[in-house]
Amino acid sequence: GAGVSQSPSNKVTEKGKDVELRCDPISGHTALYWYRQSLGQGLEFLIYFQGNSAPDKSGLPSDRFSAERTGGSVSTLTIQRTQQEDSAVYLCASSPAGSYNEQFFGPGTRLTVL
Amino acid sequence: RKEVEQDPGPFNVPEGATVAFNCTYSNSASQSFFWYRQDCRKEPKLLMSVYSSGNEDGRFTAQLNRASQYISLLIRDSKLSDSATYLCVVGGGGGADGLTFGKGTHLIIQP
């Protein structure tokens, strides 16, 4: 079946612009996660959704970052007034109910802020 | 956030050799443990879960030592295709609260 998909695959933007990243989880997966990975670094957890709710937003790097999920499916991660340090690969993962620790990752969105 | 530490490597190993690497985690309340594999410029993929009793999947063996908060991965008869970054991953006690990833150990299998 279809895996996690993310769009766009690559995004180049200018400093100060807003960007929106999209994640389509595996159908039926109740949990959805956002991570980012800077060049040569490990994965940094940003936020997760259980259904449409995000119980803990403390992992978001700043108030310029926000995320939402609708219909228990698609999620968007929005970065306002992008900065150069926001450049990274943004990875989305999903997992089924009852198996939250087995996460299936999408291919990521490579964001470059000039 | 909880911490997971790994030797970044790279580990350069000849094809056919056995290689082992490990990680330590700081949160003694951690309940679930995994090794993920990440190929260059690709997303992480689950390699195997790690259980207290140890578990084996083909050429791969994972061990967990809760007392020492230490997780290991052993790869026997290494193949060129094993070249990747191996991520040690620790999770909480259930619930969708996200996993904590180590920065990974880079493995290079040489012909």
Side-chain angles (χ1 to χ4, degrees):
Chain A
V4 178
S5 61
Q6 293 185 245
S7 61
S9 55
N10 282 282
K11 177 70 177 179
V12 180
T13 190
E14 294 179 347
K15 179 181 173 181
K17 300 286 189 182
D18 297 352
V19 296
E20 188 173 279
L21 312 180
R22 176 187 169 106
C23 172
D24 283 87
I26 293 172
S27 178
H29 279 194
T30 55
L32 184 149
Y33 312 81
W34 283 99
Y35 297 86
R36 74 175 176 181
Q37 187 172 32
S38 301
L39 186 62
Q41 300 297 311
L43 272 72
E44 177 187 2
F45 171 74
L46 299 179
I47 191 169
Y48 85 95
F49 289 88
Q50 178 57 33
N52 292 332
S53 300
D56 181 4
K57 299 181 179 180
S58 62
L60 294 173
S62 75
D63 58 8
R64 297 185 294 104
F65 287 71
S66 62
E68 65 175 15
R69 189 181 186 194
T70 55
S73 181
V74 172
S75 176
T76 54
L77 177 69
T78 302
I79 309 173
Q80 296 178 310
R81 306 181 301 283
T82 52
Q83 304 294 312
Q84 288 183 331
E85 60 264 28
D86 299 335
S87 296
V89 176
Y90 289 81
L91 290 158
C92 175
S94 70
S95 61
S99 184
Y100 296 123
N101 286 314
E102 184 173 0
Q103 299 185 8
F104 297 83
F105 283 81
T109 293
R110 184 173 298 276
L111 174 66
T112 303
V113 182
L114 301 176
Chain B
R1 293 288 298 184
K2 303 175 280 291
E3 291 186 358
V4 177
E5 296 187 9
Q6 297 180 248
D7 181 343
F11 283 51
N12 289 282
V13 176
E15 188 176 10
T18 296
V19 59
F21 31 81
N22 54 67
C23 81
T24 58
Y25 60 96
S26 61
N27 186 353
S28 59
S30 298
Q31 295 293 320
S32 52
F33 310 89
F34 309 88
W35 285 101
Y36 274 68
R37 170 188 170 134
Q38 186 171 25
D39 293 292
C40 187
R41 300 177 75 87
K42 297 288 189 180
E43 70 275 19
K45 293 184 179 179
L46 178 65
L47 177 66
M48 60 195 303
S49 301
V50 188
Y51 304 115
S52 296
S53 56
N55 50 300
E56 185 174 314
D57 183 0
R59 298 181 293 108
F60 297 81
T61 300
Q63 295 277 353
L64 167 66
N65 184 322
R66 284 186 181 270
S68 301
Q69 296 180 202
Y70 169 102
I71 307 161
S72 66
L73 179 67
L74 179 79
I75 305 175
R76 292 181 298 278
D77 187 24
S78 54
K79 312 292 185 188
L80 294 176
S81 57
D82 295 334
S83 296
T85 297
Y86 290 83
L87 307 175
C88 179
V89 183
V90 173
D97 62 349
L99 300 171
T100 302
F101 286 74
K103 292 186 178 181
T105 296
H106 188 199
L107 175 64
I108 301 170
I109 304 300
Q110 297 174 327

